[in-house]
Amino acid sequence: MLNYLALLLSPYYYNALIIVASYFFILSLINHYEMWRFTYGPELVDGPLVSVLIPARNEEKNIERCLNSLKNQLYKNYEILVLNDNSVDNTAKILERYVSEDQKIRAFTGDPLPDDWYGKPFALHQLSSHAKGEILLLTDADTIHSPSSISWAVTNMQYLKADMVSGYIGQVFKTLGEIVTVPLMFFLTGFVIPLSLNRYTKLSCFTAAIGQYIAIRHDVFKAIGGCESFRKKTSEDIYMSRYVKRKGYSVRFLNITEYVKCRMYNGYHGAIEGIGKNIFDFLGKNTIVIFLMAVAVLFFLFFPFPLLIGGLILKSPWTLHILIVNLLYTLTWIFMFLGQRLNWWYGLLWPLIFLNLLYMAAWSWFRTVSGKGFIWKDRKVS
């Protein structure tokens, strides 16, 4: 069957595959260079007040590590604000202890979640109203920061004259399910967004952000309407960067792997819930767009691998073309993992990563259009 399909698709399909795979390989290298070229090391240890904002809902297992990592920063002028977002575990008691021990830390009890908000945007909305800093540093309760984390943010914002900075932090994987799911966030800069164009155009489609670490000027945050502008978005980080860009401000996507670490999810199910809920939302909840994306991923990203197996077995005349495509995809993923200081051999799993993306896209679409929604932090989002 694969042999007949191979003959049917040739030669245009195979030539197109070569072009597409070459483009993605080159794009990933350019984006890697872009992030590292414009990323400064942490140099500034004093400057404007930085307000670190941490939403915390049922984070008794994580919040102590996060606060301990933020307590002793090299940067001098900062405050830490934590919102206990209606937790039912020991988060509140832990926060009470840290507030009594460190005057830099302030904790607040979250209001009940309104129907027209999602949890994280509403938590950040409440925190920002208490923030005194010129710069807001938004981070998650499961992150662990090096002593240079805040210095890194201020240095890069000052040196790059950026109004908002974000990027990839160091990811920690402990299961195969996490390895084939969480790296889908690298898909943005490996297969979608040419980051270099962000410096030359005002189009918001070339911006990106990762919610685990976002530094933004407080006045810019207010100028885009704060969290009101993305009050019911699961991919609030992406939408924040787009709104900042549309207002004419500077957004930079950099590499933060050395200064912040995180294990985002515990196992495959948690990773599917966490990443999957954002896919359809990221695409504007447009069924036609997600269908076209799935078709493109199937035929241009995943299908070359089984086609190579079939070509080798059936001695297809197009085997060399498919071999080159597979090699380019393998190298693309290997370089992306190496760029994030992760094991290179994760890149060999790219067929599973793309197959998993197809499953997650279908799951994200179905859960949204069916009204079933997603359960995240014990709350339903749709």
Side-chain angles (χ1 to χ4, degrees), residues 178-279:
E178 294 167 63
I179 295 172
V180 299
T181 306
V182 177
L184 286 169
M185 68 170 62
F186 304 154
F187 190 82
L188 280 177
T189 56
F191 299 88
V192 180
I193 300 174
L195 291 176
S196 57
L197 294 182
N198 186 41
R199 291 185 287 115
Y200 301 111
T201 178
K202 295 181 179 179
L203 296 175
S204 61
C205 58
F206 297 118
T207 63
I210 302 295
Q212 295 168 311
Y213 190 103
I214 294 175
I216 182 172
R217 280 177 38 205
H218 201 161
D219 59 338
V220 172
F221 184 78
K222 291 179 178 178
I224 66 168
C227 295
E228 292 269 1
S229 57
F230 47 86
R231 62 196 301 165
K232 208 160 186 177
K233 298 291 185 182
T234 56
S235 48
E236 76 289 331
D237 44 9
I238 294 293
Y239 283 95
M240 186 190 306
S241 68
R242 290 176 179 174
Y243 297 149
V244 170
K245 186 70 173 181
R246 287 174 189 171
K247 286 287 187 178
Y249 297 108
S250 170
V251 182
R252 303 303 289 269
F253 191 86
L254 308 170
N255 198 306
I256 324 171
T257 54
E258 293 183 59
Y259 307 106
V260 189
K261 303 289 182 185
C262 178
R263 184 186 181 193
M264 290 181 70
Y265 310 108
N266 295 319
Y268 182 64
H269 179 73
I272 288 290
E273 287 278 351
I275 301 289
K277 71 181 183 343
N278 296 325
I279 293 177

Side-chain angles (χ1 to χ4, degrees), residues 85 113-126 227 230-236 277-278 281 285 368 373-374 376 379-382:
D85 187 8
L113 181 65
D115 293 335
D116 58 342
W117 282 84
Y118 283 161
K120 186 174 181 180
F122 188 57
L124 291 173
H125 172 69
Q126 295 173 80
C227 295
F230 47 86
R231 62 196 301 165
K232 208 160 186 177
K233 298 291 185 182
T234 56
S235 48
E236 76 289 331
K277 71 181 183 343
N278 296 325
D281 184 68
K285 296 184 178 179
T368 303
F374 314 92
W376 188 245
R379 289 169 171 156
K380 181 179 178 180
V381 296
S382 58

